[in-house]
């Protein structure tokens, strides 16, 4: 059985007080019978506090980035061992904002994924096409290429440690959610690629989540699609009630 997952990517938002308030609010509203895995991803300075606040709850805390090196002269970077030392064991890698604004290319992303997996991190690996590729009907090629250049270089994948997040760039922060059919079409394409590469057992058990302007009003229809196993939520995860409504939409 595939895991259902909803993760809130808080990006570069909120100060310490806002972060802790949001965590308290999410904690108080979360239904403790849920079998959905729930993640929140505050900014680096607040991860330790978030870990402490979420201890003993169903909320997992994940990092938004990781450096591929062990340690050393990499000013401004954060290593896997630093994250581990505060109790973080999952990370988002390959977000389109990292690719676009911080020039993270496929080869760097592969190094990051390899480093994170080798340290037993759970990796949310993001892929997605831009608006031109969508309009030119080139989106399947782009997604295939992104996978071929990155995680498909890994011999064996552990479905407990890898989650694919399909995030069409044109849907991120734009209010333009992919339609449930568009999401399903791409998720089933990705699952087929996984099957061809790693076999049907892996493809059946790997969670593929959708991200891009998911709102409480759209979540249920998107999550209702066969190959959509949850969501990676940006803007709507900054409002506790919206985030909880999305979690409850699975
Ligand atoms: P929005 O939900 O704000 O579109 O962001 C999605 C996203 O980028 C999650 O990683």
């Amino acid at each position: 059985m595939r895991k259902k997952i909803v993760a809130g990517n808080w990006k570069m938002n909120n100060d310490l007080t806002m972060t802790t308030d949001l965590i308290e609010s999410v904690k108080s509203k979360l239904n403790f019978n849920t079998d959905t895995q729930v993640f929140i991803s505050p900014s680096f300075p607040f991860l330790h506090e978030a870990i402490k606040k979420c201890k003993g709850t169903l909320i997992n805390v994940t990092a938004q980035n990781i450096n591929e090196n062990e340690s050393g002269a990499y000013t401004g970077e954060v290593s896997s061992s630093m994250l581990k030392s505060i109790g973080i064991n999952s990370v988002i890698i390959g977000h389109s904002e990292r690719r676009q604004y911080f020039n993270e290319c496929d080869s760097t992303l592969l190094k990051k994924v390899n480093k994170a997996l080798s340290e037993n991190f759970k990796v949310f690996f993001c892929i997605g096409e831009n608006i031109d590729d969508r309009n030119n009907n080139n989106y399947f090629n782009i997604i295939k290429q992104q996978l071929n250049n990155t995680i498909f270089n890994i011999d064996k994948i552990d479905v407990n440690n890898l989650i694919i997040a399909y995030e069409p760039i044109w849907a991120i922060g734009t209010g333009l959610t992919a339609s449930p059919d568009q999401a399903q079409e791409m998720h089933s394409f990705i699952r087929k690629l996984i099957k061809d590469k790693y076999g049907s057992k892996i493809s059946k058990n790997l969670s593929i989540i959708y991200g891009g302007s998911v709102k409480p009003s759209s979540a249920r229809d998107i999550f209702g699609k066969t190959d959509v196993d949850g969501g990676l939520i940006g803007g709507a995860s900054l409002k506790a009630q919206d985030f909880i409504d999305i979690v409850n939409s699975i």
Side-chain angles (χ1 to χ4, degrees), residues 9 14 16 61 63 75 107-108 118 121 128 130 138 167-168 171 181 184 195 200 203 205 212 238 241 248 250:
N9 176 6
N14 292 345
L16 177 60
V61 182
T75 302
S107 66
T108 303
S118 75
F121 275 70
N130 65 28
N138 195 30
E167 298 207 303
D181 287 344
Q184 169 57 26
K195 185 177 172 202
S200 64
S203 81
N205 288 306
L238 297 170
Q241 192 58 54
N248 292 339
I250 286 208

Side-chain angles (χ1 to χ4, degrees), residues 9 11 95 97 167 171-174 211-215 232-236:
N9 176 6
K11 307 192 181 184
H95 195 284
E97 289 149 14
E167 298 207 303
I172 295 177
T174 58
S213 294
V214 176
K215 300 280 179 284
L232 183 54
I233 317 301

Side-chain angles (χ1 to χ4, degrees), residues 1-245:
M1 265 293 276
R2 291 200 289 276
K3 307 239 169 24
K4 299 280 184 192
I5 296 165
V6 175
N9 176 6
W10 293 0
K11 307 192 181 184
M12 196 175 76
N13 291 296
N14 292 345
D15 62 15
L16 177 60
T17 307
M18 290 156 87
T19 299
T20 52
D21 285 354
L22 185 53
I23 291 170
E24 289 303 335
S25 192
V26 170
K27 266 165 67 172
S28 70
K29 293 174 198 300
L30 185 65
N31 171 3
F32 280 85
N33 294 321
T34 183
D35 53 9
T36 300
Q37 290 191 352
V38 177
F39 291 79
I40 56 167
S41 189
S43 297
F44 278 132
F46 314 128
L47 287 177
H48 194 202
E49 191 60 26
I51 282 281
K52 287 193 266 178
K53 288 217 168 291
C54 293
K55 208 169 174 190
T57 75
L58 291 180
I59 305 170
N60 302 281
V61 182
T62 190
Q64 296 177 20
N65 189 19
I66 199 168
N67 186 273
E68 63 274 26
N69 297 292
E70 184 55 41
S71 64
Y74 301 101
T75 302
E77 290 293 290
V78 174
S79 70
S80 54
S81 51
M82 291 172 182
L83 292 172
K84 266 189 173 173
S85 73
I86 58 164
I88 298 282
N89 51 20
S90 61
V91 61
I92 300 169
I93 297 178
H95 195 284
S96 60
E97 289 149 14
R98 300 288 323 163
R99 296 175 193 250
Q100 186 181 349
Y101 304 130
F102 304 98
N103 300 321
E104 291 190 357
C105 60
D106 285 340
S107 66
T108 303
L109 296 176
L110 178 59
K111 285 184 199 156
K112 288 182 182 232
V113 173
N114 274 326
K115 178 66 179 161
L117 291 178
S118 75
E119 300 287 346
N120 280 324
F121 275 70
K122 194 186 277 285
V123 171
F124 290 84
F125 188 67
C126 305
I127 52 177
E129 80 284 359
N130 65 28
I131 189 68
D132 290 340
D133 291 319
R134 172 59 57 174
N135 289 339
N136 296 331
N137 280 326
N138 195 30
Y139 48 100
F140 288 134
N141 286 336
I142 292 293
I143 293 301
K144 192 172 178 183
Q145 194 182 317
Q146 288 177 356
L147 289 170
N148 280 337
N149 291 345
T150 56
I151 57 170
F152 281 6
N153 292 288
I154 298 168
D155 287 341
K156 261 191 173 164
I157 58 174
D158 175 353
V159 294
N160 292 315
N161 279 347
L162 183 70
I163 296 143
I164 293 183
Y166 169 57
E167 298 207 303
I169 297 167
W170 49 271
I172 295 177
T174 58
L176 288 176
T177 321
S179 71
D181 287 344
Q182 284 173 321
Q184 169 57 26
E185 181 189 42
M186 184 56 90
H187 283 226
S188 85
F189 175 73
I190 295 167
R191 204 175 298 287
K192 166 81 170 52
L193 295 176
I194 302 278
K195 185 177 172 202
D196 294 346
K197 174 80 187 164
Y198 298 105
S200 64
K201 191 163 171 223
I202 300 274
S203 81
K204 269 192 205 136
N205 288 306
L206 186 93
S207 297
I208 306 175
I209 63 177
Y210 168 83
S213 294
V214 176
K215 300 280 179 284
S217 55
S218 56
R220 194 169 297 277
D221 287 344
I222 296 175
F223 297 165
K225 291 293 179 182
T226 324
D227 287 297
V228 180
D229 305 308
L232 183 54
I233 317 301
S237 70
L238 297 170
K239 292 189 189 126
Q241 192 58 54
D242 283 3
F243 184 61
I244 294 298
D245 287 347

